[in-house]
């Protein structure tokens, strides 16, 4: 889930809907690659 | 490049003066920042030599030893996966597409709103979906939960 700012309610709601991870803007290409690497480590990905 | 351009050349969205003409270079100004990020990721460094009107040399130095165990291994495992990026900001879509498609070997699909996202998800069945949390312009001011649910369900039921 791409978010403009951290917010507990947004993240909680998205997690309940199945979001795996959050990426807060602004982010760098390195942040993005690290997040995708994390997703790849998750067993259901 | 001038000294000022050299100092800023790895900044995201920075585009230098094209050949001293005063015109900004083409593109989004993301390429070199991505290169720098990847070099950093590999614990390397990148050097720049440049004089105005004389051309530029970039030198990438990478450690010869293998990276620490586990580094990028997961990324390698899912290389080639289909990815859907949903965001109304074309710069964000381009940033993600450039990074994941050109650098990491993913197959990228883009959507500007939730309605388009559902259509693309049903058609392409992406493995990963990047969703802007509010999905503006798609389903009204749809809360994050609905935004996450709709394309994910579409991808699964296709």
């Amino acid at each position: 889930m791409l978010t403009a700012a951290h917010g507990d309610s947004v993240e909680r709601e998205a997690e309940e809907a199945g979001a795996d991870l959050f990426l807060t803007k602004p982010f760098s290409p390195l942040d993005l690659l690290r997040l995708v690497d994390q997703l790849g480590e998750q067993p259901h990905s | 490049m001038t000294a000022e351009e050299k100092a800023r050349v790895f900044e995201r969205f920075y585009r230098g003066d094209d050949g001293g003409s005063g015109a900004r270079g083409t593109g989004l100004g993301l390429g070199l920042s991505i290169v720098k990020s990847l070099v950093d990721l590999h614990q390397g460094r990148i050097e720049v030599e440049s004089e105005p009107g004389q051309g530029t040399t970039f030198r990438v130095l990478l450690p010869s030893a293998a990276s620490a165990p586990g580094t990028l291994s997961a990324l390698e495992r899912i290389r080639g996966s289909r990815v859907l990026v949903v965001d109304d900001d074309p710069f964000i879509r381009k940033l993600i597409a450039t990074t994941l498609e050109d650098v990491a070997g993913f197959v990228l699909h883009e959507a500007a709103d939730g309605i388009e996202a559902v259509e693309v998800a049903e058609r392409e069945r992406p493995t990963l979906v990047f969703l802007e949390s509010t999905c503006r312009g798609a389903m009204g001011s749809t809360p994050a939960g609905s935004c996450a649910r709709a394309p994910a369900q579409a991808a699964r039921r296709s």
Side-chain angles (χ1 to χ4, degrees):
Chain A
M1 180 67 70
L2 304 168
T3 59
H6 282 299
D8 288 345
S9 62
V10 170
E11 294 195 2
R12 189 169 51 249
E13 194 178 353
E15 278 176 350
E16 287 170 0
D20 296 299
L21 292 171
F22 296 87
L23 186 59
T24 303
K25 301 175 190 177
F27 56 86
S28 71
L30 187 55
D31 296 330
L32 177 62
L33 289 171
R34 282 182 174 144
L35 179 129
V36 174
D37 198 42
Q38 278 182 264
L39 286 171
E41 288 174 347
Q42 295 183 357
H44 57 278
S45 295
Chain B
M1 289 186 287
T2 65
E4 183 198 358
E5 287 175 316
K6 208 162 75 171
R8 300 187 60 193
V9 73
F10 296 112
E11 289 180 16
R12 286 190 296 151
F13 302 115
Y14 176 73
R15 294 182 302 166
D17 185 348
D18 194 1
S21 65
R24 293 289 122 186
T26 57
L28 293 174
L30 287 173
L32 283 172
S33 74
I34 292 170
V35 170
K36 176 75 163 54
S37 295
L38 289 171
V39 171
D40 290 344
L41 190 66
H42 288 86
Q43 291 91 47
R45 70 175 194 271
I46 183 165
E47 299 173 348
V48 186
E49 290 178 9
S50 186
E51 294 293 333
Q54 299 301 310
T56 299
T57 300
F58 292 93
R59 186 176 295 110
V60 173
L61 303 171
L62 297 169
S64 58
S67 300
T71 302
L72 288 184
S73 59
L75 187 59
E76 288 296 326
R77 278 202 299 275
I78 56 175
R79 179 180 289 274
S81 298
R82 286 185 295 277
V83 177
L84 171 59
V85 182
V86 187
D87 198 303
D88 59 355
D89 184 341
F91 286 101
I92 294 294
R93 296 201 305 270
K94 183 65 178 175
L95 173 63
I96 294 175
T98 302
T99 304
L100 295 186
E101 196 167 40
D102 297 350
V103 175
F106 288 83
V107 179
L108 261 288
H109 301 282
E110 299 181 25
D113 58 45
I115 294 172
E116 188 182 3
V118 170
E119 292 172 1
V120 176
E122 287 176 339
R123 189 176 67 240
E124 304 296 342
R125 301 181 65 189
T127 304
L128 303 178
V129 180
F130 287 86
L131 275 162
E132 209 283 331
S133 62
T134 56
C135 278
R136 279 187 296 276
M139 307 159 197
S141 283
T142 308
S146 300
C147 277
R149 201 173 290 119
Q153 287 174 342
R156 280 195 291 269
R157 70 172 172 256
S158 298

